[in-house]
């Protein structure tokens, strides 16, 4: 009888421990840049408000700048409100991305490519898996991203990666690993942002250089949320279908009907480059995912 009670107690203890480990997997951010992020590049070019709720990055002839999350994550959703560099920003690149910090790194990238005054901003997205990328897509934004803050989001789960702007999906990358398509699903990643000189390629293929007389160039951030699985060393907690890991549920395995309409609108009216249509670059041997469904 005593042995039976001890067994029951042990089972209950293990269940409680398992529930606790799964429940702490998901974290909602504090909203304070000083607590959730650290400055990884040029502290004197990073400015944070007194309450920690807003932060800006500066680029000048001396240096660019950047910050990164203190934690690493495996799946979840990241949202960040960003106001891009105003005016003549040609040659500048603002990167907002997830990266795994491994030699064969995984990466999920937003890159905002500076422009000449009066020209639309280009957003480039890219995905690295096991150190290989070549998956760029580019769109023109349908609004001026320098006048106000807009929300840029990455949903990353077992089923798909969705890039969103103000909740509008602009790009999908589906998990077709079962068909031999690389997909980031094992390496935890941190959140990073950086503002840097990319005038060798960023604007019109490098034809438009940075006009340093317009510096410093400033990009601003606020109202971010991190709802993701904190990396604890064991991927099974992040891959679990639990109430904490809401992003892995079947309802987030594809776009909703309304999201599909918005996605098609972006592709039809605002896309300027899709690697899956670049036969010349790939010598008529496009990557396998280009022939598979997006949703």
């Amino acid at each position: 009888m005593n042995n039976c009670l001890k067994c029951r107690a042990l089972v209950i203890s293990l269940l409680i421990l398992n529930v606790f480990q799964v429940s702490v997997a998901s974290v909602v951010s504090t909203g304070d840049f000083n607590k959730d992020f650290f400055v990884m590049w040029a502290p004197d070019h990073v400015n944070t408000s007194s309450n920690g709720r807003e932060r800006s990055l500066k680029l000048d002839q001396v240096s660019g700048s950047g910050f990164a999350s203190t934690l690493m994550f495996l799946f979840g959703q990241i949202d960040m409100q960003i106001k891009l560099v105003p005016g003549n920003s040609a040659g500048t690149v603002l990167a907002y991305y997830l990266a795994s910090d491994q030699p064969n790194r995984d990466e999920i990238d937003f890159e905002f490519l500076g422009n000449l005054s009066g020209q639309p901003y280009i957003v480039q997205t890219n995905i690295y898996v096991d150190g290989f990328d070549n998956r760029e897509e580019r769109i023109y934004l349908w609004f001026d991203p320098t006048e106000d803050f807009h929300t840029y989001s990455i949903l990353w789960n077992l089923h798909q990666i969705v890039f969103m702007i103000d909740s509008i999906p602009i790009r999908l990358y589906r998990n077709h690993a079962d068909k031999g398509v690389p997909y980031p699903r094992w390496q935890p990643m941190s959140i990073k942002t950086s503002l840097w000189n990319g005038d060798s390629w960023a604007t019109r293929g490098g034809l438009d250089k940075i006009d340093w007389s317009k510096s410093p160039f400033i990009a601003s951030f606020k109202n971010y949320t991190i709802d993701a699985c904190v990396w604890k060393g064991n991927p099974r907690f992040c891959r679990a279908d639990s109430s904490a890991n809401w992003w892995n549920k079947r309802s987030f395995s594809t776009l909703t009907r309304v999201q599909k309409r918005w996605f098609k609108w972006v592709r039809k009216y605002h896309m300027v480059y899709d690697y899956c249509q670049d036969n010349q670059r790939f010598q008529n041997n496009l990557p396998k995912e280009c022939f598979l469904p997006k949703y």
Side-chain angles (χ1 to χ4, degrees), residues 184-254:
R185 53 193 173 135
W186 298 108
Q187 297 186 43
M189 295 194 260
S190 58
I191 308 160
K192 297 185 177 183
T193 68
S194 58
L195 178 59
W196 46 283
N197 176 359
D199 71 2
S200 63
W201 65 275
T203 308
R204 292 205 308 139
L207 294 177
D208 296 323
K209 303 298 185 181
I210 290 181
D211 181 354
W212 292 111
S213 70
K214 301 295 193 296
S215 67
F217 302 100
I218 307 291
S220 303
F221 308 81
K222 69 175 185 179
N223 293 345
Y224 67 88
T225 58
I226 305 169
D227 197 354
C229 183
V230 178
W231 178 249
K232 300 288 187 180
N234 189 336
R236 79 181 180 89
F237 295 120
C238 296
R239 300 170 71 85
D241 183 4
S242 67
S243 58
N245 298 346
W246 57 265
W247 48 82
N248 283 334
K249 292 188 175 297
R250 183 166 295 277
S251 56
F252 294 95
S253 64
T254 189

Side-chain angles (χ1 to χ4, degrees), residues 82-85 121 141 143-150 152:
I82 306 174
K83 184 159 65 173
L84 300 185
V85 175
Y121 244 96
L141 289 177
F143 55 87
D144 185 346
T146 71
E147 289 186 345
D148 204 352
F149 287 87
H150 293 266
Y152 301 88

